[in-house]
Amino acid sequence: MTTLSSTPRTRLGRHPERGSDDRAALHEILDDGMICHLGIVVDGTPRVLPTAYGRLDDTLYIHGSTGATSLRDGPSQDVCVTVTHLDGLIIARSLFHHSINYRSAVIFGTPRLVDDPDEKLAGLRAVVENLTPGQWDTARQPTRKEMAATSVLALSLDEASVKIRQGGPSDDDEDYALDVWAGTLPVRQTIGTPSPDPVLRPGIAVPKHIARRVTS
Amino acid sequence: MTTLSSTPRTRLGRHPERGSDDRAALHEILDDGMICHLGIVVDGTPRVLPTAYGRLDDTLYIHGSTGATSLRDGPSQDVCVTVTHLDGLIIARSLFHHSINYRSAVIFGTPRLVDDPDEKLAGLRAVVENLTPGQWDTARQPTRKEMAATSVLALSLDEASVKIRQGGPSDDDEDYALDVWAGTLPVRQTIGTPSPDPVLRPGIAVPKHIARRVTS
């Protein structure tokens, strides 16, 4: 499947021209991100919580403590997971046409609590590797007790939508004559110089895969 | 009021030591952010959408088209607004203790559709100024027609919680002997060099308040 399905929930009400039904675009937005916002309904009201995630093919994995409300109640109900990249501030000539450049993915579905030990490990690996590629094989592996204390949820990417706004400002025709600056302020999420744990044993250099993560 | 109230929704289930009941911390997290994630319930299932916002004292303002589902249905029901800053990736010696540094604010409440023209203008100004301070007085002001096409929602900050994780990794005692690098990768959102609209009239320089927004 290379295109995204359209359902009442994923159909875009506003600015449908910003939508994309390209599954590759969905994967790219997810793989570029580090945290998602998980929406659940508790006692009839919404709750939105930031959390880490990872992707394997067309499944999103989310992990957490077995004690967390969001994960305990998660499998029995629909959730919404949103990943957003803020890419720019659009400065227009009129206040009305101010906007932001962004890429967002919104996923709907009922998550599945992962029981299979192999899939659970693979899901956790996906979460760690999404944040820091190469890290899974470097650190001390989880013990049986640690695995038991961790819940992993799997959410299918079957019902998802992608929305992207890019490019510069778009003003009303008559406003182009104004003496007002217009343009784009690019926004980026950057990773800086690694800061070693103050009690790190002497002689342990920053691993290559950590150094590669630095973007600024 | 300088402390945040505690309600069943704002009481932290996991890691209560990361909570803060400091209203100043709430304001700072909101003022440092550019987009929030708005959670609503539509037909019993959650929907999480990114959007811009602004703060005036203890009220959060969100704007959007009068045609948007999120705003049309918003005033009649509870929403949840979450603002998250990802501040760092925590690389621990064990995979189990990997974590992220973050600051998040979660606000619950039933938003009010702003009818009063003065408050509506003030709310929109707060949204624009939160993204780009100084911009409101520079660009062409909204017309009556543009104002009519825009909805503004006001959400009280009365019911809110703050959660912050900072500092480096915290490993199990026996793992400190491992030959594994541990530390923090700092994450930051940066604003780059302004890119003028290709059809900008010649001779219009980048205004000072725009140049000041650049962080990298």
Side-chain angles (χ1 to χ4, degrees), chain B residues 146-164:
Chain B
E146 288 171 343
M147 287 301 284
T150 308
S151 290
V152 176
L153 291 184
L155 180 65
S156 158
L157 298 183
D158 274 356
E159 191 179 353
S161 69
V162 163
K163 211 166 171 181
I164 297 169

Side-chain angles (χ1 to χ4, degrees), chain A residues 109-124:
Chain A
T110 306
R112 171 172 58 83
L113 190 64
V114 177
D115 286 323
D116 178 75
D118 290 342
E119 190 188 1
K120 196 169 173 180
L121 210 60
L124 286 174

Side-chain angles (χ1 to χ4, degrees), chain A residues 43-77:
Chain A
D43 298 331
T45 68
R47 204 163 287 194
V48 178
L49 303 167
T51 189
Y53 68 90
R55 180 183 73 86
L56 280 180
D57 299 324
D58 278 314
T59 303
L60 195 86
Y61 289 96
I62 290 173
H63 79 306
S65 158
T66 46
T69 314
S70 52
L71 290 174
R72 211 170 44 218
D73 300 342
S76 59
Q77 60 152 313

Side-chain angles (χ1 to χ4, degrees), chain B residues 6-188:
Chain B
S6 176
T7 72
R9 290 194 291 197
T10 63
R11 211 162 290 138
L12 303 176
R14 305 292 310 164
H15 291 294
E17 79 284 359
R18 294 181 187 167
S20 166
D21 67 351
D22 183 2
R23 193 155 283 274
L26 172 67
H27 290 174
E28 200 178 311
I29 289 171
L30 296 178
D31 297 352
D32 273 3
M34 294 194 275
I35 59 164
C36 64
H37 281 83
L38 167 70
I40 56 172
V41 179
V42 179
D43 299 331
T45 68
R47 206 164 286 197
V48 178
L49 302 167
T51 190
Y53 67 90
R55 181 183 73 85
L56 280 180
D57 299 325
D58 278 313
T59 303
L60 195 85
Y61 289 96
I62 290 174
H63 80 306
S65 158
T66 46
T69 314
S70 53
L71 291 172
R72 210 170 46 219
D73 300 341
S76 58
Q77 60 153 314
D78 266 16
V79 304
C80 176
V81 170
T82 299
V83 173
T84 306
H85 301 277
L86 176 58
D87 292 331
L89 305 179
I90 300 300
I91 310 293
R93 292 158 185 86
S94 67
L95 288 165
F96 188 71
H97 285 294
H98 277 60
S99 188
I100 56 175
N101 276 352
Y102 63 93
R103 291 165 291 146
S104 70
V106 179
I107 304 148
F108 297 100
T110 305
R112 171 173 58 82
L113 189 64
V114 177
D115 285 324
D116 178 76
D118 290 342
E119 188 188 3
K120 197 169 173 180
L121 210 60
L124 286 176
R125 185 188 176 109
V127 174
V128 168
E129 291 285 302
N130 186 55
L131 290 174
T132 314
Q135 183 59 16
W136 184 268
D137 292 328
T138 307
R140 199 257 295 151
Q141 299 296 300
T143 63
R144 190 179 295 215
K145 197 178 158 189
E146 288 171 343
M147 287 301 284
T150 308
S151 290
V152 176
L153 291 184
L155 180 65
S156 158
L157 298 183
D158 274 356
E159 191 179 353
S161 69
V162 163
K163 211 166 171 181
I164 297 169
R165 198 243 186 245
Q166 49 193 2
S170 175
D171 271 299
D172 291 343
D173 288 346
E174 59 272 29
D175 289 334
Y176 284 89
L178 296 173
D179 271 332
V180 176
W181 189 86
T184 307
L185 280 167
V187 179
R188 228 161 51 98

Side-chain angles (χ1 to χ4, degrees), chain A residues 64-98:
Chain A
S65 158
T66 46
T69 314
S70 52
L71 290 174
R72 211 170 44 218
D73 300 342
S76 59
Q77 60 152 313
D78 265 16
V79 305
C80 177
V81 170
T82 300
V83 173
T84 307
H85 300 278
L86 175 58
D87 292 330
L89 306 179
I90 301 300
I91 310 293
R93 293 158 185 86
S94 67
L95 289 165
F96 187 71
H97 284 295
H98 278 61

